[in-house]
Protein backbone atom coordinates (compact mmCIF):
# COMPACT_ATOMS: atom_id res chain seq x y z
CA UNK A 1 0.00 0.00 0.00
CA UNK A 2 1.25 3.49 -0.78
CA UNK A 3 -0.02 6.31 1.37
CA UNK A 4 -1.98 9.27 0.12
CA UNK A 5 0.22 12.37 0.34
CA UNK A 6 -1.46 15.21 2.20
CA UNK A 7 -0.49 18.35 0.28
CA UNK A 8 0.08 21.00 2.94
CA UNK A 9 1.21 23.59 0.41
CA UNK A 10 -2.06 23.31 -1.53
CA UNK A 11 -4.17 23.26 1.65
CA UNK A 12 -2.33 26.35 2.95
CA UNK A 13 -2.77 28.14 -0.38
CA UNK A 14 -6.52 27.53 -0.23
CA UNK A 15 -6.70 28.85 3.34
CA UNK A 16 -4.66 31.94 2.44
CA UNK A 17 -6.99 32.59 -0.51
CA UNK A 18 -10.07 32.35 1.71
CA UNK A 19 -8.52 34.78 4.20
CA UNK A 20 -7.47 37.20 1.45
CA UNK A 21 -10.99 37.08 -0.03
CA UNK A 22 -12.51 37.88 3.36
CA UNK A 23 -10.21 40.87 3.79
CA UNK A 24 -10.85 42.01 0.21
CA UNK A 25 -14.58 41.97 0.98
CA UNK A 26 -14.22 44.37 3.95
CA UNK A 27 -15.70 47.82 3.29
CA UNK A 28 -13.13 50.18 1.75
CA UNK A 29 -13.37 52.41 4.81
CA UNK A 30 -12.63 49.55 7.24
CA UNK A 31 -9.26 49.22 8.89
CA UNK A 32 -7.21 46.24 7.60
CA UNK A 33 -6.05 43.55 10.07
CA UNK A 34 -2.54 44.20 11.38
CA UNK A 35 0.17 41.77 12.47
CA UNK A 36 3.28 42.98 14.32
CA UNK A 37 6.27 40.65 14.48
CA UNK A 38 9.13 41.24 16.89
CA UNK A 39 12.54 39.81 16.04
CA UNK A 40 15.34 40.01 18.60
CA UNK A 41 18.86 39.10 17.53
CA UNK A 42 20.24 37.63 14.32
CA UNK A 43 19.14 33.96 14.38
CA UNK A 44 19.27 33.04 10.65
CA UNK A 45 16.27 30.66 10.75
CA UNK A 46 14.20 33.26 12.64
CA UNK A 47 15.10 35.91 10.04
CA UNK A 48 13.78 33.65 7.27
CA UNK A 49 10.58 32.87 9.24
CA UNK A 50 9.95 36.55 9.96
CA UNK A 51 10.54 37.52 6.32
CA UNK A 52 8.15 34.79 5.12
CA UNK A 53 5.51 35.84 7.64
CA UNK A 54 5.76 39.46 6.44
CA UNK A 55 5.36 38.47 2.78
CA UNK A 56 2.37 36.19 3.51
CA UNK A 57 0.70 38.84 5.70
CA UNK A 58 0.96 41.54 3.02
CA UNK A 59 -0.20 39.13 0.30
CA UNK A 60 -3.34 38.43 2.33
CA UNK A 61 -4.11 42.17 2.37
CA UNK A 62 -3.11 42.71 6.00
CA UNK A 63 -0.79 45.33 7.43
CA UNK A 64 2.54 43.80 8.42
CA UNK A 65 5.03 45.53 10.69
CA UNK A 66 8.41 44.22 11.74
CA UNK A 67 10.20 45.37 14.89
CA UNK A 68 13.84 44.48 15.35
CA UNK A 69 15.86 44.58 18.53
CA UNK A 70 19.58 43.88 18.89
CA UNK A 71 20.55 40.55 20.49
CA UNK A 72 21.91 42.42 23.52
CA UNK A 73 18.86 44.63 24.03
CA UNK A 74 17.44 44.40 27.54
CA UNK A 75 14.33 42.54 28.60
CA UNK A 76 12.89 45.89 29.69
CA UNK A 77 13.28 47.22 26.13
CA UNK A 78 11.53 44.14 24.72
CA UNK A 79 8.70 44.42 27.27
CA UNK A 80 8.30 48.14 26.47
CA UNK A 81 8.01 47.30 22.77
CA UNK A 82 5.39 44.61 23.48
CA UNK A 83 3.45 47.10 25.65
CA UNK A 84 3.45 49.67 22.84
CA UNK A 85 2.14 47.06 20.35
CA UNK A 86 -0.53 45.98 22.84
CA UNK A 87 -1.67 49.59 23.02
CA UNK A 88 -1.56 50.20 19.25
CA UNK A 89 -5.15 50.13 17.91
CA UNK A 90 -3.94 49.18 14.42
CA UNK A 91 -2.28 45.99 15.66
CA UNK A 92 -4.44 42.86 16.04
CA UNK A 93 -1.68 40.29 16.40
CA UNK A 94 1.60 40.51 18.33
CA UNK A 95 4.11 37.75 17.70
CA UNK A 96 7.51 37.62 19.39
CA UNK A 97 9.69 35.31 17.32
CA UNK A 98 11.24 32.51 19.36
CA UNK A 99 13.87 31.54 20.38
CA UNK A 100 14.90 34.63 22.34
CA UNK A 101 18.47 35.34 23.51
CA UNK A 102 19.45 33.56 26.74
CA UNK A 103 19.23 36.63 29.03
CA UNK A 104 15.51 37.05 28.26
CA UNK A 105 12.89 35.22 30.32
CA UNK A 106 10.58 33.87 27.64
CA UNK A 107 7.68 33.24 30.04
CA UNK A 108 7.74 36.89 31.14
CA UNK A 109 7.63 38.10 27.55
CA UNK A 110 4.79 35.76 26.54
CA UNK A 111 2.84 36.83 29.63
CA UNK A 112 3.22 40.47 28.59
CA UNK A 113 1.41 40.02 25.27
CA UNK A 114 -2.26 41.03 25.30
CA UNK A 115 -4.06 37.63 25.26
CA UNK A 116 -6.53 38.97 22.68
CA UNK A 117 -3.57 39.78 20.36
CA UNK A 118 -1.68 36.59 21.17
CA UNK A 119 -1.82 35.08 17.67
CA UNK A 120 0.74 32.39 18.61
CA UNK A 121 -1.62 31.20 21.37
CA UNK A 122 1.24 30.81 23.87
CA UNK A 123 -0.07 33.15 26.62
CA UNK A 124 -1.07 31.22 29.76
CA UNK A 125 -4.64 32.50 29.42
CA UNK A 126 -4.96 31.05 25.91
CA UNK A 127 -3.27 27.81 27.03
CA UNK A 128 -5.86 27.57 29.82
CA UNK A 129 -8.72 28.41 27.48
CA UNK A 130 -7.67 25.59 25.16
CA UNK A 131 -7.49 23.10 28.05
CA UNK A 132 -10.82 24.35 29.38
CA UNK A 133 -12.52 24.10 25.99
CA UNK A 134 -13.15 27.86 25.89
CA UNK A 135 -12.75 30.24 22.98
CA UNK A 136 -9.22 31.57 22.69
CA UNK A 137 -6.43 31.74 20.17
CA UNK A 138 -5.05 28.30 19.25
CA UNK A 139 -1.34 27.76 18.48
CA UNK A 140 -0.77 27.85 14.72
CA UNK A 141 1.09 24.58 14.13
CA UNK A 142 -1.39 22.25 15.91
CA UNK A 143 -4.24 24.21 14.34
CA UNK A 144 -2.70 23.54 10.92
CA UNK A 145 -2.20 19.84 11.75
CA UNK A 146 -5.91 19.49 12.54
CA UNK A 147 -6.79 20.96 9.15
CA UNK A 148 -4.44 18.52 7.41
CA UNK A 149 -5.99 15.59 9.29
CA UNK A 150 -9.44 16.85 8.24
CA UNK A 151 -8.33 16.62 4.60
CA UNK A 152 -8.33 12.83 4.88
CA UNK A 153 -10.60 12.12 7.87
CA UNK A 154 -13.53 14.47 8.38
CA UNK A 155 -14.76 12.66 11.51
CA UNK A 156 -12.23 11.73 14.19
CA UNK A 157 -14.55 10.60 16.99
CA UNK A 158 -13.35 7.38 18.60
CA UNK A 159 -10.01 7.29 16.78
CA UNK A 160 -6.83 6.55 18.70
CA UNK A 161 -4.27 9.34 18.42
CA UNK A 162 -0.67 9.37 19.59
CA UNK A 163 1.25 12.64 19.81
CA UNK A 164 4.98 12.18 19.89
CA UNK A 165 6.55 15.15 21.71
CA UNK A 166 5.27 17.14 24.69
CA UNK A 167 6.34 20.73 23.99
CA UNK A 168 4.08 23.60 24.92
CA UNK A 169 4.03 24.95 21.38
CA UNK A 170 3.15 21.74 19.49
CA UNK A 171 2.78 18.48 21.45
CA UNK A 172 0.56 19.58 24.34
CA UNK A 173 -1.87 21.80 22.39
CA UNK A 174 -2.07 19.10 19.72
CA UNK A 175 -3.32 16.62 22.31
CA UNK A 176 -6.02 19.06 23.41
CA UNK A 177 -7.29 19.59 19.88
CA UNK A 178 -7.43 15.84 19.23
CA UNK A 179 -9.21 15.32 22.53
CA UNK A 180 -11.71 18.02 21.64
CA UNK A 181 -12.32 16.09 18.40
CA UNK A 182 -13.22 13.05 20.56
CA UNK A 183 -10.05 11.04 19.91
CA UNK A 184 -8.52 8.83 22.56
CA UNK A 185 -5.15 10.52 23.00
CA UNK A 186 -1.75 9.39 24.26
CA UNK A 187 1.30 11.65 24.63
CA UNK A 188 4.59 9.86 24.00
CA UNK A 189 8.00 11.40 24.59
CA UNK A 190 11.70 10.80 25.14
CA UNK A 191 11.09 8.65 28.26
CA UNK A 192 8.26 6.54 26.84
CA UNK A 193 8.85 2.79 27.00
CA UNK A 194 8.39 0.81 23.78
CA UNK A 195 7.93 3.88 21.62
CA UNK A 196 7.30 1.88 18.40
CA UNK A 197 4.64 -0.22 20.18
CA UNK A 198 2.87 2.84 21.62
CA UNK A 199 2.92 4.67 18.28
CA UNK A 200 1.69 1.57 16.44
CA UNK A 201 -1.62 1.86 18.33
CA UNK A 202 -2.37 5.12 16.56
CA UNK A 203 -4.96 5.72 13.89
CA UNK A 204 -3.49 9.23 13.88
CA UNK A 205 0.20 9.68 14.66
CA UNK A 206 1.56 13.21 15.04
CA UNK A 207 5.32 13.53 15.46
CA UNK A 208 6.78 16.75 16.87
CA UNK A 209 10.20 15.75 18.13
CA UNK A 210 13.05 17.13 16.03
CA UNK A 211 14.92 13.86 15.47
CA UNK A 212 15.37 13.07 11.76
CA UNK A 213 14.04 9.68 10.70
CA UNK A 214 12.96 8.65 14.23
CA UNK A 215 9.61 7.28 13.08
CA UNK A 216 10.22 4.08 11.12
CA UNK A 217 7.80 1.67 9.49
CA UNK A 218 7.42 -0.31 12.74
CA UNK A 219 6.00 2.81 14.49
CA UNK A 220 3.07 2.93 12.09
CA UNK A 221 -0.19 1.03 12.12
CA UNK A 222 -1.09 0.03 8.55
CA UNK A 223 -3.42 2.66 7.10
CA UNK A 224 -2.72 5.28 9.81
CA UNK A 225 -2.68 9.03 9.24
CA UNK A 226 0.87 10.30 9.86
CA UNK A 227 1.49 14.01 10.45
CA UNK A 228 5.16 14.97 10.49
CA UNK A 229 5.74 18.27 12.29
CA UNK A 230 9.51 17.86 12.56
CA UNK A 231 11.77 20.22 10.65
CA UNK A 232 15.36 19.04 10.69
CA UNK A 233 18.17 20.54 8.64
CA UNK A 234 20.69 18.03 7.28
CA UNK A 235 23.87 18.92 5.41
CA UNK A 236 23.80 17.25 2.00
CA UNK A 237 26.94 15.92 0.25
CA UNK A 238 26.57 18.72 -2.29
CA UNK A 239 27.07 21.24 0.54
CA UNK A 240 23.40 22.25 0.45
CA UNK A 241 21.06 21.99 3.42
CA UNK A 242 18.19 19.53 3.11
CA UNK A 243 15.00 19.64 5.19
CA UNK A 244 13.68 16.37 6.56
CA UNK A 245 11.01 15.52 9.10
CA UNK A 246 10.92 13.14 12.07
CA UNK A 247 9.43 10.43 9.90
CA UNK A 248 11.44 8.13 7.65
CA UNK A 249 9.26 9.05 4.70
CA UNK A 250 10.42 6.31 2.31
CA UNK A 251 9.51 3.62 4.86
CA UNK A 252 6.39 5.25 6.23
CA UNK A 253 4.78 5.92 2.87
CA UNK A 254 4.59 2.15 2.31
CA UNK A 255 2.65 1.53 5.56
CA UNK A 256 0.59 4.65 6.31
CA UNK A 257 -2.80 5.43 4.78
CA UNK A 258 -2.02 9.15 4.49
CA UNK A 259 1.11 11.15 5.28
CA UNK A 260 2.41 14.72 5.21
CA UNK A 261 5.72 15.35 3.43
CA UNK A 262 8.57 17.56 4.68
CA UNK A 263 8.85 20.11 3.22
CA UNK A 264 5.37 20.91 1.93
CA UNK A 265 3.31 19.48 4.77
CA UNK A 266 2.80 21.12 8.15
CA UNK A 267 5.23 24.02 7.55
CA UNK A 268 3.09 26.01 5.07
CA UNK A 269 0.02 25.48 7.27
CA UNK A 270 1.67 27.18 10.24
CA UNK A 271 1.95 30.52 8.46
CA UNK A 272 -1.54 30.22 6.94
CA UNK A 273 -2.95 29.58 10.43
CA UNK A 274 -1.06 32.59 11.76
CA UNK A 275 -2.96 34.69 9.20
CA UNK A 276 -6.19 32.98 10.23
CA UNK A 277 -5.50 33.77 13.91
CA UNK A 278 -4.76 37.40 13.02
CA UNK A 279 -8.04 37.65 11.14
CA UNK A 280 -9.89 36.05 14.08
CA UNK A 281 -8.26 38.49 16.53
CA UNK A 282 -9.17 41.40 14.22
CA UNK A 283 -12.80 40.31 13.93
CA UNK A 284 -13.16 39.89 17.69
CA UNK A 285 -11.61 43.30 18.32
CA UNK A 286 -13.87 44.90 15.71
CA UNK A 287 -16.96 43.13 17.06
CA UNK A 288 -17.39 41.17 13.82
CA UNK A 289 -17.61 37.73 15.47
CA UNK A 290 -14.70 35.35 14.83
P1 LIG B 1 10.90 20.52 21.64
O1 LIG B 1 12.36 20.27 21.55
O2 LIG B 1 10.38 21.59 22.49
O3 LIG B 1 10.18 19.16 22.06
C1 LIG B 1 10.56 17.95 21.52
C2 LIG B 1 9.81 16.83 22.22
O4 LIG B 1 10.23 15.59 21.68
C3 LIG B 1 10.06 16.75 23.72
O5 LIG B 1 8.81 16.74 24.35
C4 LIG B 1 10.78 15.43 23.95
O6 LIG B 1 10.31 14.72 25.08
C5 LIG B 1 10.49 14.66 22.71
N1 LIG B 1 11.61 13.84 22.30
C6 LIG B 1 12.89 14.21 22.16
N2 LIG B 1 13.65 13.18 21.73
C7 LIG B 1 12.83 12.12 21.62
C8 LIG B 1 13.00 10.77 21.25
N3 LIG B 1 14.19 10.30 20.88
N4 LIG B 1 11.93 9.99 21.27
C9 LIG B 1 10.72 10.44 21.62
N5 LIG B 1 10.49 11.71 21.97
C10 LIG B 1 11.52 12.54 21.99
O7 LIG B 1 10.44 20.69 20.12
P2 LIG B 1 9.19 21.44 19.43
O8 LIG B 1 9.39 22.90 19.57
O9 LIG B 1 7.90 20.83 19.84
O10 LIG B 1 9.48 21.06 17.91
C11 LIG B 1 9.53 19.70 17.51
C12 LIG B 1 9.89 19.65 16.04
O11 LIG B 1 8.85 20.29 15.30
C13 LIG B 1 11.18 20.36 15.67
O12 LIG B 1 11.79 19.66 14.59
C14 LIG B 1 10.69 21.71 15.19
O13 LIG B 1 11.58 22.31 14.26
C15 LIG B 1 9.41 21.32 14.52
N6 LIG B 1 8.41 22.39 14.42
C16 LIG B 1 7.84 22.57 13.22
C17 LIG B 1 6.88 23.54 13.06
C18 LIG B 1 6.23 23.71 11.72
O14 LIG B 1 5.67 24.74 11.44
N7 LIG B 1 6.25 22.69 10.88
C19 LIG B 1 6.51 24.36 14.15
C20 LIG B 1 7.10 24.14 15.38
C21 LIG B 1 8.06 23.13 15.51
Amino acid sequence: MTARIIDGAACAARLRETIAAEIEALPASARRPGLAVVLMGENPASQVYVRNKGVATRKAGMVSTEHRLAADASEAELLALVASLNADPGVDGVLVQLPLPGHIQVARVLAAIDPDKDVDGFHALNVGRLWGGEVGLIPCTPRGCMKLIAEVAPRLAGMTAVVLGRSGIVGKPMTQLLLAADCTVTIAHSRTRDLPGVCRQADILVSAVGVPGLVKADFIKPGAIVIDVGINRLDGEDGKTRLVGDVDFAEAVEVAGAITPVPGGVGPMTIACLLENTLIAYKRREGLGG
Side-chain angles (χ1 to χ4, degrees):
M1 177 167 140
T2 304
R4 174 174 164 191
I5 309 296
I6 307 172
D7 187 344
C11 188
R14 283 197 304 275
L15 178 57
R16 288 200 312 266
E17 275 164 28
T18 310
I19 293 166
E22 205 172 319
I23 293 168
E24 174 87 36
L26 288 171
S29 57
R31 179 177 75 77
R32 307 287 116 172
L35 174 65
V37 178
V38 176
L39 175 60
M40 186 166 179
E42 308 286 329
N43 182 310
S46 293
Q47 297 199 29
V48 174
Y49 291 144
V50 167
R51 197 168 52 237
N52 291 346
K53 283 168 187 170
V55 170
T57 309
R58 282 186 289 274
K59 259 192 178 167
M62 300 185 184
V63 178
S64 159
T65 53
E66 228 176 271
H67 306 266
R68 288 178 178 255
L69 287 177
D72 61 357
S74 68
E75 190 174 291
E77 282 175 79
L78 177 55
L79 291 174
L81 174 57
V82 168
S84 74
L85 297 171
N86 284 344
D88 185 336
V91 170
D92 302 287
V94 177
L95 184 154
V96 177
Q97 184 66 46
L98 302 178
L100 289 168
H103 65 286
I104 304 289
Q105 290 210 28
V106 178
R108 223 154 33 198
V109 175
L110 296 181
I113 297 172
D114 177 346
D116 294 335
K117 296 189 177 187
D118 171 37
V119 282
D120 253 343
F122 297 160
H123 189 287
L125 191 65
N126 284 318
V127 174
R129 284 170 173 160
L130 180 59
W131 284 71
E134 292 168 36
V135 175
L137 287 163
I138 297 166
C140 304
T141 301
R143 189 183 184 94
C145 291
M146 291 303 287
K147 290 181 194 290
L148 293 176
I149 295 168
E151 290 279 296
V152 289
R155 286 172 52 81
L156 309 187
M159 289 174 115
T160 297
V162 174
V163 178
L164 195 42
R166 54 180 159 180
S167 72
I169 65 168
V170 191
K172 284 179 188 160
M174 190 70 226
T175 63
Q176 285 308 304
L177 294 175
L178 289 163
L179 195 57
D182 295 324
C183 291
T184 302
V185 188
T186 300
I187 308 181
H189 47 77
S190 52
R191 308 297 287 270
T192 297
R193 291 194 194 130
D194 184 20
L195 203 54
V198 170
C199 292
R200 216 164 40 238
Q201 303 292 315
D203 301 310
I204 301 168
L205 176 62
V206 180
S207 182
V209 173
V211 175
L214 173 76
V215 177
K216 303 280 184 197
D218 65 338
F219 281 56
I220 299 168
K221 179 178 180 175
I225 299 167
V226 178
I227 305 293
D228 190 354
V229 182
I231 298 180
N232 307 293
R233 288 178 170 76
L234 297 184
D235 293 329
E237 283 165 12
D238 54 1
K240 287 188 182 155
T241 307
R242 200 162 57 89
L243 285 189
V244 298
D246 293 343
V247 178
D248 184 326
F249 188 85
E251 282 193 14
V253 78
E254 298 300 328
V255 186
I259 187 168
T260 58
V262 177
V266 176
M269 288 305 289
T270 298
I271 289 192
C273 288
L274 172 65
L275 302 181
E276 190 177 40
N277 272 353
T278 305
L279 182 57
I280 290 169
Y282 166 85
K283 289 202 283 193
R284 288 183 188 152
R285 294 184 66 244
E286 291 289 319
L288 301 171

